[in-house]
Amino acid sequence: MNETFELETDYIPLCDLLKYCAVTDTGGQAKYLVSTGNVMVDGEVETRKTCKIRAGQVVTGDGFEIRVVAPGGR
């Protein structure tokens, strides 16, 4: 799955992004996915569940890539 996510605020917590983009069904699943080292932010493994994801960052994992953009796709 390749998706572009448009931020409505300055940032979104990593677990919320995974849940919102349907990578996981629940917040608990999202937290587990992150805590086990299965999510990367900008090519680096990220284990902080509430890491602030901002415009310009790319979140990836097994079978998904989410590009985060500013409002209006900038």
Side-chain angles (χ1 to χ4, degrees), residues 18 23-24 28-39 46 64:
L18 296 175
V23 173
T24 62
Q29 289 173 339
K31 289 176 182 177
Y32 178 78
L33 192 66
V34 173
S35 71
T36 56
N38 290 306
V39 177
E46 181 58 72
F64 70 91

Side-chain angles (χ1 to χ4, degrees), residues 41-65:
V41 176
D42 295 333
E44 299 288 328
V45 172
E46 181 58 72
T47 57
R48 294 174 295 160
K49 301 171 195 82
T50 58
C51 172
K52 294 177 181 179
I53 303 300
R54 301 179 189 278
Q57 292 189 292
V58 179
V59 177
T60 57
D62 187 25
F64 70 91
E65 178 178 288

